Amino acid sequence: MTRDTSQRNAKPLDLVIVGAGFAGLYMLYCARKLGLSAKVFEAGADVGGTWYWNRYPGARCDVESMQYSYSWDEELQQDWDWTERFATQPEILAYARHVADRHDMRRDIKFDTRIQSGNYDETAHRWIVVEEDGTETSARYLVLATGCLSAARIPDLPGRASFEGATYHTGDWPHEGVDFTGKRVAVIGTGSSGIQVIPEIAKQAAHLTVFQRTPNFSLPARNQPLSPQYVDGWKSRYPEHRKTARETTGSGTLYDLPKTSAMEATADEREREYRWRWEKGGANFMHAFNDLVINEESNKTAADFVRDRIRESVKDPKTAEMLCPTDYPIFTKRICVDSNYFATYNRDNVDLVSLKTSPLERIEATGIRTTDALHEVDVIVYATGFDAMTGAVTAIDLRGRAGATIPAKWAEGPRAYLGLACHGFPNLFMVTGPGSPSVLSNVIVSIEQHVDYISDLLEMAEKEGISEIEAELEAENQWVTHVNEVAAATLLPRAASWYMGANIPGKPRVFMPYIGVANYRKKCDEIRQDGYRGFAFTPRNNRKSA
Ligand code: N01
């Protein structure tokens, strides 16, 4: 920490919030409602989080617009008009900006400011957070609203720095956009970002070469403009729909939920069920049967259906086979939702290189060398993902009790009670942290639940004169075991996915998110009713010494 050059913000605060995405904005709103003084620190120049950074062409949400929005402001949800079934990044960013303005939030947000460290003062029961320039702010509570997919990652490929052309990461896209006209472009990575950006770059570039390590299952979005009748239908029943999504679903999103096992259906019935969902578009397909993520045989029927659609879309049979995932069950890596992805490979200016059959050897000045050839390109787009769920937390040098650090605590995988709080780090809360549904859900639903929960805890602490809130070690251990048990009952840990930390060399292979929005909420509510079982509280007059 750069303590010697530091200066302290004049006024100590109740609450520091890191991040001005959807989590940070709602946390600020709730803090104000509780009468707490709060400030948000944001690395970007504006609000929006994920939707501020991920500006690549084709970026849009794959949760439907009518559901991917805040539910806490009835007037807002009636006033705001989404234009498409799946909103584009600019539209979602405009929404976040609108919310910030509507609630006059900007006066409590410091932009262009990255928090470098946070130190817990055990005597004063305060966090001292430090900006990159050394400026310190003291607050009683620290809330990390830093996002699950915000630490963009470019893999350390041999020779990377020697490339003489332009390089971009989808998660850190230039604000002025990129003109690919006449360019030979490489895209490395075929996850959700790659699958969205590839069709758009293909339309513009002279030539596009896609470097694929693992093929992905993807479902057609069938995006379309929203009709006024559809929008009105949602708006007139918003409270009811939101409640159903929160309290009865696994993902926080309303889908046509399944009633039967794929194994109870005949082959014809399965085909019909998959077909109408495929034609309807979006992730609804995942919910065709109730055992697709727990029964391997059932899962294979869905995977076979999607592989057949890939073979139908892609004219060259060899390319089609390269695009068919075969070595992990469908839905065990984050499902992708695309517009015209597979058909893009029918274009004359698009080639696919499988890094499985011809591994990448190194990046050179003029392109990418695989074991087969040197692929000369002018631009490399890294669609290589994120240090998911933990990267943005460990990027801040947090020091809890007795100098405890998060990287040391999480050396064998992230550990947090309810994915919210860590033993050894009092008065620190994570919104959608590891061990909560977060990335396995409509994340706005999960954000609202976490922020409401943290707010309730803070309100209780204010009323009861509590100065420290800390997860108990035993409760935290039990929760981590529970998260793993829930995951182990499914096929999800089978894939080398970023849910497992598998995309980061050396990251422990632990299933990080909690499966099941409604179950999770129920457990959190029970814990609250039980006097916040598993949290330890220190009264104000009982200060511990450092
Ligand atoms: O990242 P990813 P993403 N050499 O990690 C490859 C959300 N999201 O940015 O699978 C070569 O999924 C890697 O290959 P492999 C969504 O939750 C949502 O696409 O590790 N290749 C993979 O193909 C999503 O899941 C939306 O073998 C390398 C790709 O890069 C999450 O963000 C849109 C490599 C990374 O895929 C992350 O998606 C976009 C290497 N060394 C994102 N390292 C929507 O809402 C990595 N790869 C629609």
Side-chain angles (χ1 to χ4, degrees):
M1 281 219 252
T2 51
R3 305 307 290 270
D4 43 350
T5 57
S6 67
Q7 39 186 40
R8 187 163 290 196
N9 275 332
K11 201 170 136 246
L13 297 168
D14 292 319
L15 185 63
V16 157
I17 301 160
V18 187
F22 283 114
L25 294 181
Y26 184 42
M27 191 69 244
L28 175 62
Y29 174 84
C30 290
R32 283 182 181 172
K33 242 174 64 179
L34 291 175
L36 299 175
S37 58
K39 189 166 190 118
V40 182
F41 292 91
E42 166 57 52
D46 203 349
V47 299
T50 285
W51 303 103
Y52 172 86
W53 300 103
N54 288 263
R55 293 166 184 249
Y56 58 86
R60 62 173 79 237
C61 187
D62 57 11
V63 176
E64 296 195 10
S65 317
M66 297 309 296
Q67 307 198 46
Y68 191 83
S69 53
Y70 285 131
S71 71
W72 49 267
D73 180 342
E74 178 56 23
E75 280 180 18
L76 167 71
Q77 67 182 6
Q78 293 301 329
D79 288 354
W80 184 264
D81 284 321
W82 296 104
T83 62
E84 294 179 65
R85 179 180 181 192
F86 296 106
T88 61
Q89 172 270 331
E91 193 168 23
I92 303 170
L93 183 58
Y95 173 77
R97 291 168 55 94
H98 172 80
V99 173
D101 292 336
R102 190 178 179 107
H103 290 281
D104 189 20
M105 289 172 164
R106 290 172 194 276
R107 66 184 155 87
D108 288 324
I109 306 175
K110 189 170 178 197
F111 292 107
D112 297 309
T113 306
R114 196 172 280 282
I115 295 300
Q116 176 180 281
S117 58
N119 225 357
Y120 188 64
D121 178 336
E122 290 187 64
T123 311
H125 298 169
R126 299 188 78 86
W127 279 94
I128 312 299
V129 297
V130 188
E131 300 166 32
E132 274 176 329
D133 70 357
T135 307
E136 295 183 348
T137 302
S138 158
R140 290 159 57 210
Y141 305 107
L142 174 57
V143 174
L144 301 180
T146 41
C148 299
L149 294 157
S150 46
R153 172 188 167 265
I154 296 187
D156 198 12
L157 301 169
R160 202 180 84 204
S162 67
F163 183 63
E164 288 174 355
T167 60
Y168 306 98
H169 189 285
T170 45
D172 189 9
W173 200 259
H175 287 206
E176 63 281 11
V178 181
D179 184 4
F180 293 104
T181 311
K183 301 267 197 281
R184 298 164 304 168
V185 182
V187 172
I188 303 179
T190 52
S192 298
S193 304
I195 279 176
Q196 287 188 329
V197 83
I198 284 165
E200 297 303 313
I201 295 178
K203 284 184 212 160
Q204 212 183 46
H207 192 269
L208 170 64
T209 312
V210 177
F211 293 83
Q212 169 191 273
R213 191 164 65 180
T214 313
N216 246 308
F217 289 101
S218 186
L219 310 170
R222 308 210 191 281
N223 185 44
Q224 55 191 288
L226 289 175
S227 71
Q229 294 84 336
Y230 183 80
V231 170
D232 289 348
W234 264 89
K235 286 188 175 178
S236 63
R237 295 177 63 194
Y238 247 142
E240 181 193 336
H241 285 328
R242 302 286 201 190
K243 186 171 157 58
T244 309
R246 277 182 210 123
E247 294 179 12
T248 67
T249 71
S251 67
T253 316
L254 297 187
Y255 290 114
D256 302 291
L257 289 180
K259 294 184 184 63
T260 55
S261 149
M263 291 296 98
E264 285 165 13
T266 65
D268 282 353
E269 285 165 347
R270 277 198 299 268
E271 172 72 19
R272 267 200 304 280
E273 190 66 26
Y274 289 139
R275 180 67 65 174
W276 79 259
R277 287 173 185 265
W278 183 264
E279 294 308 328
K280 185 174 179 182
N284 199 41
F285 181 88
M286 291 173 70
H287 304 279
F289 296 100
N290 63 17
D291 57 350
L292 293 179
V293 294
I294 51 174
N295 180 326
E296 212 169 341
E297 229 184 313
S298 299
N299 183 284
K300 188 174 173 302
T301 65
D304 284 343
F305 181 92
V306 176
R307 282 189 283 258
D308 285 347
R309 301 293 77 72
I310 297 172
R311 293 180 185 113
E312 268 170 16
S313 302
V314 181
K315 287 188 189 137
D316 172 41
K318 201 167 146 241
T319 307
E321 284 316 308
M322 280 159 72
L323 288 163
C324 283
T326 51
D327 57 2
Y328 59 94
I330 188 170
F331 313 131
T332 57
K333 282 181 143 211
R334 169 63 147 71
I335 196 74
C336 302
V337 175
D338 71 275
S339 296
N340 234 16
Y341 173 64
F342 292 112
T344 296
Y345 292 93
N346 297 331
R347 294 177 66 107
D348 291 339
N349 69 333
V350 177
D351 284 324
L352 178 65
V353 173
S354 166
L355 298 177
K356 282 268 157 67
T357 49
S358 48
L360 194 153
E361 283 192 331
R362 63 183 175 274
I363 310 282
E364 298 188 358
T366 58
I368 298 174
R369 185 174 290 282
T370 65
T371 48
D372 279 358
L374 172 66
H375 302 269
E376 296 206 320
V377 292
D378 307 307
V379 181
I380 300 178
V381 172
Y382 290 95
T384 45
F386 302 87
D387 184 354
M389 306 210 69
T390 58
V393 176
T394 55
I396 305 173
D397 182 9
L398 295 165
R399 306 283 165 145
R401 277 196 200 290
T405 68
I406 296 281
K409 182 179 172 76
W410 289 0
E412 287 168 22
R415 310 189 71 76
Y417 185 41
L418 303 177
L420 262 173
C422 290
H423 178 72
F425 296 80
N427 293 357
L428 174 93
F429 303 99
M430 294 176 293
V431 183
T432 64
S436 73
S438 55
V439 293
L440 291 178
S441 66
N442 174 351
V443 79
I444 299 193
V445 171
S446 291
I447 283 170
E448 289 187 350
Q449 188 257 346
H450 260 192
V451 170
D452 288 341
Y453 207 78
I454 294 166
S455 303
D456 288 352
L457 264 169
L458 300 191
E459 186 178 22
M460 185 274 289
E462 294 304 293
K463 277 197 191 129
E464 308 281 324
I466 284 159
S467 63
E468 261 186 355
I469 305 169
E470 184 177 1
E472 289 171 349
L473 184 59
E474 183 57 24
E476 182 178 281
N477 288 341
Q478 282 173 10
W479 183 255
V480 173
T481 304
H482 174 62
V483 172
N484 285 302
E485 281 168 358
V486 173
T490 74
L491 303 173
L492 270 80
R494 295 270 197 95
S497 66
W498 58 255
Y499 298 144
M500 296 290 295
N503 64 327
I504 305 291
K507 192 164 171 173
R509 297 275 179 120
V510 175
F511 193 82
M512 294 186 285
Y514 183 82
I515 302 171
V517 163
N519 282 346
Y520 175 80
R521 171 180 289 269
K522 207 163 145 245
K523 287 199 179 291
C524 288
D525 290 349
E526 282 165 8
I527 286 166
R528 177 173 36 212
Q529 278 152 23
D530 213 1
Y532 290 107
R533 170 172 31 92
F535 288 97
F537 300 101
T538 308
R540 265 194 201 124
N541 57 5
N542 182 21
R543 293 197 162 175
K544 289 178 185 157
S545 56

